[in-house]
Amino acid sequence: MCGIFGYIGKKENAAEIILEGLKRLEYRGYDSWGVAVVPTEDPNKNNKIVVKKRIGKIGDANVDELPTATIGFGHTRWATHGGVTQKNAHPHLDCTKTIALIHNGIIENYDSLKKDLVSTSHRFISETDSEVAVHLIEEYLKKEAFEKSVQKAFLEFHGLNALIALHAREKKLIAVRNGSPLVVGFGNGENYIASDAAALLPHTKDVYFLEDNDMVVVSDTDVELYNVVTGKKKRITKQKLAWDVSSSELGAYPHFMLKEIHEQPGLIVDISISGISSAKKLAGIIKKAYGTYFVGCGTAAYACIAASYLFSKIAKHHINWAVGSEFSYHLDFLTNKSLVVALSQSGETMDILESIKAAKQRGARIASLVNVLGSTLYRESDYPFLIGAGPEKGVASTKAFIAKLSHLILTAYALKGAVSKGSLLLKKTSKAGKQIVTNEYVLKLKKLVQRIKNASDIYVIGRGISYPASLEAALKIKEISYIHAEGLAAGELKHGPLALVEKGTPCIVYAPLDETFGANLAGAMEMRARGGYIIGISPKPHEVFDYYLPIEDVGEASIIPGVMVAQLLAYYLTIEKGYDPDKPRNLAKSVTVK
Ligand code: F6R
């Protein structure tokens, strides 16, 4: 959840390079930031590291006051231990100010380690668990070399952690990982370490994704890899990033979320062709499995629910689904014939990683639909499939959801033995999506926004595959516009939620032209009879709709244009209310804690 960016090379503006790197990680969500460098010029010969830390967003921040340097690192913090204060922001320094450290994760036994360190006269400045790490390294450094000190300290931590340490007298960055992601970028006479490969794109596409228990010692010309537990040297296998620099930049768009929504029609068409072979492979794996479970969190969980409808309807095939955080409570019946298909944009969501770990312990095989190459989920899967959505930077997931749905539709058709039909359907769906990102459509949405912007609650209903569409629409609205929104299976209305519908309550009704059409309209009527303001998303207008948002009928894929409408509605509601859709409060892009 924290962002990490480190640089070592010949360029003397390390601080600026690091700050730029941190800005590229801004989308992950954070509450404070900091940069540490080792000054090139050290007139007092005191070997002190210089640090700048601030609370809040980086925005237009600069590091002008930091000295010239060729080595350093920075961090964006998402608070866990200790409040959002400048002291708690990273990097942290040891008592001598010659060691600096940035950390992501939770050192579960920090309390007892801290007590020991305080008793040996270490002075703590912050309330964080992370500061323990830098003092422990300082302690080991009394007897050991820098590498050994970092290794020994790291092995004392309980929990899942990633850190980078630097020493003012050593021209190297040392990074260790057990849980949280880290990736090394290889340059020419310079090297980088980041928490996210997208941050490396302006500098290099040659990368190495650290595995658990990897420790790297990075100098300007060399990267050495070790197993942190055994100390044994390992071979580095580099990977090449396929993403373009422009794919992770805003271009002419005011927000990443809007850019990513607009990319969706193109993405669907790409997947209709490039996704065929992976769809066939995944379908083959599902066919052979004795029971298949789809797992995901948040938006990805809703893609799992959608999968259960798609596979049933298109391929007449039963699959189970669960949210990542609940999966471990009902996986006792998994066997070595079971298949778990994990869906994740980041590939680093802790609840998913724990789920697949537990499933593996029961012998199940793991397939994944994941967006980030080299992510932990990608590496831990027996059958990893990339969804190819390109970097997704808006905290609210949009294009990764649509990419997952596109792959799932193709896979369901492949399972039926009719993958070309699925491919054709996606092409049609892409055209339906293009009609939603037009100026004309946006005007329609903006008019609706004026009507509903002051609502305190919004209800979204649908049946069949429109049920996960309703859940996703409500999630998009609530997480960025902060209006309470609830997605419901339309049939559940009269079992309780209808009590909440009052005069003027906005009620969004999905009514695709499938077997649910009539029943969805019945739900709309029930809400209208209680004064609800009915917003219909459907290929067909109806008198029950107070406001009509048309979508094209694309059969089983109608969830895609349906959700795209809700994404844009959520976006413009958020803009109207004056919030930043890319960085909703309290949330982070990659949820690497439980
Ligand atoms: C909501 C959203 C989250 C993520 C969830 C899983 O818009 O983005 O609900 O979908 O945190 O993230 P990934 O897909 O990275 O596993």
Side-chain angles (χ1 to χ4, degrees), residues 33 45 52 91 162 168 181 197 250 254 264 343 421 465 516 523 534 556 562 591:
W33 62 274
K45 298 271 173 275
K52 175 173 180 173
L250 265 180
Q264 295 175 136
L343 268 50
K421 212 170 155 199
I465 194 152
T516 66
I534 310 300
E556 298 97 345
V591 185

Side-chain angles (χ1 to χ4, degrees), residues 297-300 343-347 349 395-397 404 475-476 479 589 591:
C297 296
T299 289
L343 268 50
S344 175
Q345 188 286 127
S346 61
T349 301
V395 164
S397 187
K404 284 172 205 151
L475 180 60
K476 287 291 92 86
E479 71 178 324
K589 183 70 185 158
V591 185

